[in-house]
Amino acid sequence: MTEAAAADGTLRDGPHRHRLGGDLAEEVAACLLSGHGMPYETGLAAFHAVRDAGLLTRCPDERELEWVLRAPLDVGGRTVHYRFPTQRARWLAAALRHVCTQRPPKNSHELRDWLMLAPGIGPKTAGWIVRNHLGSDDVAIIDVHVLRAGTNAGVFDPAWTPISDYPRLEAFFLAWAGYGGVRAADLDAVIWSERAHSARVPGRRTRVK
């Protein structure tokens, strides 16, 4: 889920309208805590809890992060518990240490490759962070929504998978956006928003990337 996709599916304005965080550390936390099939509202609530605890202004250890992630979260008036708090705390602690102890590259592809050196950050999550933080159209976020949309549109070969064909999927997605004359970041946001909207029916939960 991105900030660009509002509740009604419209896109917000601004050069960095896809950002979830105020800086790279916050963006890493938002995307890492909200990815891997986590329900959007839960992931965002966990990110806010970690940020509000002041843990994103320094390099916290995983025990501090786990303590916050284990606390009940208020999600739309419901009490929700974050799944896999130990694993996510470990990943996030390592990722934040990576960010706050080194100088990150500014180029989109170099930043993505650099982020992927941290545990728990694969090409999809790294691309999501880069797209949001830099406002970049040079990378793609090949999640299940984009994969299905691209396959249904005949852009992707049904045999391609993100595990074995991520660079190819990304190249075709970026070409698809270019052919349509739209920003790759906005095409991704619209696809996600439409898929999320169609999933908002009784008995089903909206999930993030």
Side-chain angles (χ1 to χ4, degrees):
M1 176 64 180
T2 67
E3 281 193 326
D8 60 359
T10 59
L11 295 178
R12 297 176 181 174
D13 294 326
H16 297 291
R17 60 186 177 277
H18 296 279
R19 281 186 176 179
L20 294 171
D23 56 24
L24 182 57
E26 289 191 1
E27 203 64 53
V28 166
C31 295
L32 192 54
L33 292 173
S34 298
H36 304 279
M38 184 67 62
Y40 165 63
E41 294 86 356
T42 303
L44 196 60
F47 161 61
H48 288 161
V50 169
R51 184 183 63 183
D52 293 347
L55 299 182
L56 300 181
T57 60
R58 54 186 175 85
C59 291
D61 63 43
E62 59 186 83
R63 291 172 298 179
E64 294 177 289
L65 291 166
E66 183 177 351
W67 185 82
V68 174
L69 293 178
R70 284 193 177 279
L73 300 169
D74 185 330
V75 179
R78 296 181 299 114
T79 298
V80 175
H81 291 274
Y82 190 81
R83 293 183 298 151
F84 314 119
T86 301
Q87 179 193 63
R88 299 298 176 90
R90 183 170 62 251
W91 287 354
L92 183 54
L96 292 174
R97 188 162 55 249
H98 188 60
V99 170
C100 70
T101 60
Q102 301 183 44
R103 178 174 295 181
K106 295 183 179 180
N107 172 273
S108 295
H109 291 105
E110 291 178 359
L111 179 58
R112 181 176 61 182
D113 292 345
W114 180 81
L115 287 166
M116 287 172 59
L117 296 175
I121 299 183
K124 180 184 70 176
T125 302
W128 190 13
I129 296 167
V130 170
R131 193 283 304 275
N132 289 3
H133 182 64
L134 297 181
S136 175
D137 291 302
D138 296 329
V139 297
I141 311 164
I142 308 299
D143 65 358
V144 64
H145 303 301
V146 169
L147 184 63
R148 289 172 181 168
T151 301
N152 292 341
V155 176
F156 301 152
D157 187 313
W160 294 348
T161 69
I163 294 177
S164 59
D165 303 288
Y166 201 96
R168 182 182 299 177
L169 288 163
E170 179 179 66
F172 272 71
F173 179 83
L174 297 179
W176 185 20
Y179 182 79
V182 299
R183 292 187 57 190
D186 291 345
L187 177 59
D188 170 82
V190 169
I191 289 173
W192 194 95
S193 179
E194 289 299 314
R195 293 283 178 167
H197 178 73
S198 67
R200 289 193 181 101
V201 295
R204 296 184 64 181
R205 293 183 300 173
T206 302
R207 293 186 178 275
V208 297
K209 297 180 177 300

